[in-house]
Amino acid sequence: MSNPTTTSDPILPEVKMNLAPPSAPITGRVVSNDMCLKGKSNSYVRHTEIDITGTAIAGNFIVGQSFGVIAPGVDEKGKPHKVRLYSIACPKWGEDGQGNVISTTPKRVLEEYKPQKKTDDQIRHTLFIGVCSNFLCDLNPGDEVQITGPAGRRFLLPANTADHDYIFLATGTGIAPFRGMVKELLENPEGPCKSQIHLVMGAPYDTDLLYDELFADFATKHDNFHYHTAISREIRPDGSRGIYTHHCIDEKIETFRPLLENERTLIYICGIQGMQTGLYQVLATNGLSDAYLTIADDWADLNPKDWPWAEIKRNVRPTPRCMVEVY
Ligand SMILES: Cc1cc2nc3c(=O)[nH]c(=O)nc-3n(C[C@H](O)[C@H](O)[C@H](O)COP(=O)(O)OP(=O)(O)OC[C@H]3O[C@@H](n4cnc5c(N)ncnc54)[C@H](O)[C@@H]3O)c2cc1C
């Protein structure tokens, strides 16, 4: 167990790591690979289930961890493709109840080529197709996948889940671990967790929401589960502009304040790099940052609304009660 620094800090469970290293990946077999977007969208995101029965990882992962995938073939230097990480989207008992089927939420990286450094071709603008995300999304039931891991020991549910309440904030495929965590909390074979659970899912358009039906269904069945959506690029019915996940917390601060003031509460943030900074400002502006953030001394007198955006990551750090996984 990791040592908490205050009584309200979460005690995280021990985890197993790197049971299958990149030098000796295990072979999984795809069980299903279905779209998990709410509607027609500019992006392509799937829910991929992989059977790992009989391998070192079976039954030895927990939600919040990731696994690695090695796409077949070689890169432009002729070397085998490097491992890419994908968040586990199922509870620790897997999709099958036995820990033998893991899942994740791959999103195809499909863009126009953009030079990343000075030596890259500056005029090329052909289609850029991400190697591993497209490999995963292309797979059919029965296909084999080389898997490593598990990886990650910090972005985890606490060992005793009933001791805490939860605010989960996701953008895009950052929803993957929260699908697993919400299932772990509400579908526990020993009975659903009674803690307060708020999930805020951010997406550009309503049709980009992931696993929307699942979460809406949980919200109707469990009074303690609250599903919020933050749609950024659509005008809202009252004519106001779209919002990001942190705006959702700010707008509903009177709902969230008692929860954020309660020492049981943990915040989890997963998704696009930078999504955490808006939330940090909202917490600090509302006088709610003490438990969740450590702010640099020379920033103490600054109005959080004036924090220079590019410097937030360096001067504001999450405490153990605020867990961040952005990529
Ligand atoms: C802990 C963790 C969990 C993750 N979980 C998930 C998950 O659940 N689902 C998911 O989809 N992803 C997840 N990712 C991201 C995932 O690991 C991969 O980075 C992602 O799928 C892209 O991999 P790829 O092989 O398809 O793209 P790559 O072939 O690796 O291409 C991406 C890279 O190419 C470069 N590039 C990007 N755009 C362009 C462009 N337009 N022109 C030229 N070069 C470009 C950039 O350097 C970029 O890093 C996670 C990452 C981490 C660290």
Side-chain angles (χ1 to χ4, degrees), residues 66 84-87 104-107 109 111-116 128-134 173 176 325-327:
S66 316
R84 269 74 161 182
L85 292 177
Y86 292 89
S87 301
T104 189
T105 316
K107 176 184 176 182
V109 172
E111 291 175 35
E112 274 197 355
Y113 176 87
K114 278 190 234 91
Q116 308 285 298
F128 177 86
I129 301 175
V131 171
C132 198
S133 57
N134 286 285
T173 56
E325 183 144 283
V326 289
Y327 50 85

Side-chain angles (χ1 to χ4, degrees), residues 4 18-19 43 46 52 63-64 68 90 170 189-190 199-200 202 222 227 283 287 291:
N18 296 320
L19 298 170
S43 57
R46 290 190 172 260
I52 53 166
V63 68
C90 56
E190 286 161 25
L199 170 67
V200 184
H222 298 271
Y227 178 43
L283 291 175

